[in-house]
Amino acid sequence: MYCGRELKQDEVCNCSGAASHRARKQEDNKKSKEHKNPYRTETSYRTGYAGKDSKFERARTRYKTKKAARRNIPDKEGFLRYIKSALKSPADTVASPPHIGKAAMLIIAAVTGAALWLCMFFILQGGSVRLTRLLAGVMGFGGGEGLKLAAAVPVVILIGAAGGIILFFMYMGVFWLINRFIMRLHTPFWEFSIRLITSWIPFCVICIFGALISILSPVTIAVLLVCGGIITAALTYDALKTEWISQPASKVLYAMLLGYFVLLAFISHLIFI
């Protein structure tokens, strides 16, 4: 009910929301038991299954469960349904995303980076009707400027794909460190990243759309990217609010602002070096 991942038979969800719910429930049961039996005269016991399993066997079972979950990469149809859901109902999908693998997350990051870098390239080029100049360069028309533009686009796409993957690890890493050291949660990095990478999908589509309609003015594309950034920030808050469901909303908000401050400060220093 918290992370939306499909569980196998007898499998227990280990996401942060479920763990927090179980911890609160156990604490309530403990307090209720102490209230009913303040002198603790009842004899405690373990069930046969929990008592016979050694610590090593339980650790091995958890490892196999997580390994099987990591292998559960959706097929092409499932991945397309995931993208469609993230565009049609982004807030709901961010709150309860399906389980996707590492490769799928990196593909989303690479495509987002390539489209974003291409939009920035067109903005820096200035002018309008750049798509026409690009097509003219590919067909051998438009002189040397058109050929340079046509040759530069693939390079920008490759650099952008690599930059998108680097940005993915920076973005996820900052919030994962906040999750680990401020929220005191031990969620694995890749599991924590599922909701946040889902918040990138609308921005990714906006960047692709901006690159395709590059015949418009650079100011229009820049405004479009700013709107995409606002959507990403709003969905990031929804993702973190669900991930840190046991924390007050104000704490989640300030933690998100801290993450954006660290991320943008680091990126600004890289740009101006």
Side-chain angles (χ1 to χ4, degrees):
M1 63 179 289
Y2 294 102
C3 63
R5 184 168 66 87
E6 183 178 355
L7 300 177
K8 296 181 180 179
Q9 186 176 1
D10 298 329
E11 182 185 356
V12 178
C13 182
N14 57 1
C15 73
S16 60
S20 300
H21 176 74
R22 285 196 298 271
R24 290 195 302 270
K25 190 173 181 180
Q26 290 175 359
E27 186 68 23
D28 292 341
N29 290 339
K30 183 178 178 182
K31 290 181 179 178
S32 177
K33 186 176 179 180
E34 290 178 354
H35 176 73
K36 291 180 180 178
N37 187 22
Y39 299 103
R40 300 182 181 179
T41 56
E42 295 179 359
T43 304
S44 62
Y45 66 95
R46 295 181 179 179
T47 61
Y49 181 78
K52 290 180 180 179
D53 278 351
S54 66
K55 186 181 295 185
F56 172 76
E57 290 173 340
R58 289 196 296 271
R60 184 176 62 180
T61 302
R62 285 196 300 270
Y63 171 76
K64 289 183 177 180
T65 302
K66 291 180 180 180
K67 186 176 181 181
R70 286 195 295 267
R71 289 179 179 175
N72 185 25
I73 300 174
D75 56 7
K76 186 177 180 181
E77 285 189 15
F79 186 71
L80 291 177
R81 282 198 302 269
Y82 162 67
I83 298 296
K84 184 179 179 180
S85 175
L87 294 174
K88 186 178 180 180
S89 303
D92 295 335
T93 308
V94 163
S96 299
H99 183 79
I100 60 174
K102 301 175 185 177
M105 286 188 269
L106 293 178
I107 288 173
I108 294 172
V111 174
T112 302
L116 176 60
W117 259 251
L118 198 57
C119 286
M120 297 301 296
F121 173 73
F122 285 148
I123 291 173
L124 294 175
Q125 285 290 310
S128 59
V129 201
R130 289 179 300 278
L131 186 58
T132 306
R133 289 165 54 199
L134 175 61
L135 293 176
V138 172
M139 293 185 293
F141 301 105
E145 186 177 351
L147 289 174
K148 288 181 181 179
L149 181 63
V153 167
V155 177
V156 172
I157 291 175
L158 291 176
I159 295 175
I165 294 175
I166 294 173
L167 185 62
F168 166 83
F169 285 105
M170 292 171 57
Y171 196 91
M172 308 303 163
V174 167
F175 288 109
W176 181 78
L177 290 174
I178 293 175
N179 176 78
R180 176 65 182 86
F181 294 103
I182 296 181
M183 301 302 175
R184 301 293 183 180
L185 298 175
H186 297 270
T187 312
F189 174 81
W190 292 102
E191 183 179 332
F192 177 80
S193 303
I194 293 176
R195 285 193 177 92
L196 291 182
I197 194 61
T198 304
S199 70
W200 282 26
I201 294 177
F203 181 62
C204 176
V205 174
I206 287 174
C207 291
I208 294 173
F209 182 70
L212 292 177
I213 61 168
S214 55
I215 57 175
L216 300 179
S217 68
V219 176
T220 304
I221 301 177
V223 171
L224 192 65
L225 294 181
V226 171
C227 293
I230 294 173
I231 293 175
T232 303
L235 292 176
T236 297
Y237 174 74
D238 280 344
L240 295 176
K241 185 173 63 174
T242 307
E243 189 71 33
W244 301 331
I245 194 170
S246 60
Q247 303 295 331
S250 57
K251 185 175 181 180
V252 175
L253 177 63
Y254 287 123
M256 188 191 78
L257 292 177
L258 173 63
Y260 269 107
F261 171 76
V262 173
L263 183 67
L264 294 176
F266 184 71
I267 293 176
S268 300
H269 279 81
L270 290 180
I271 292 175
F272 294 108
I273 285 179

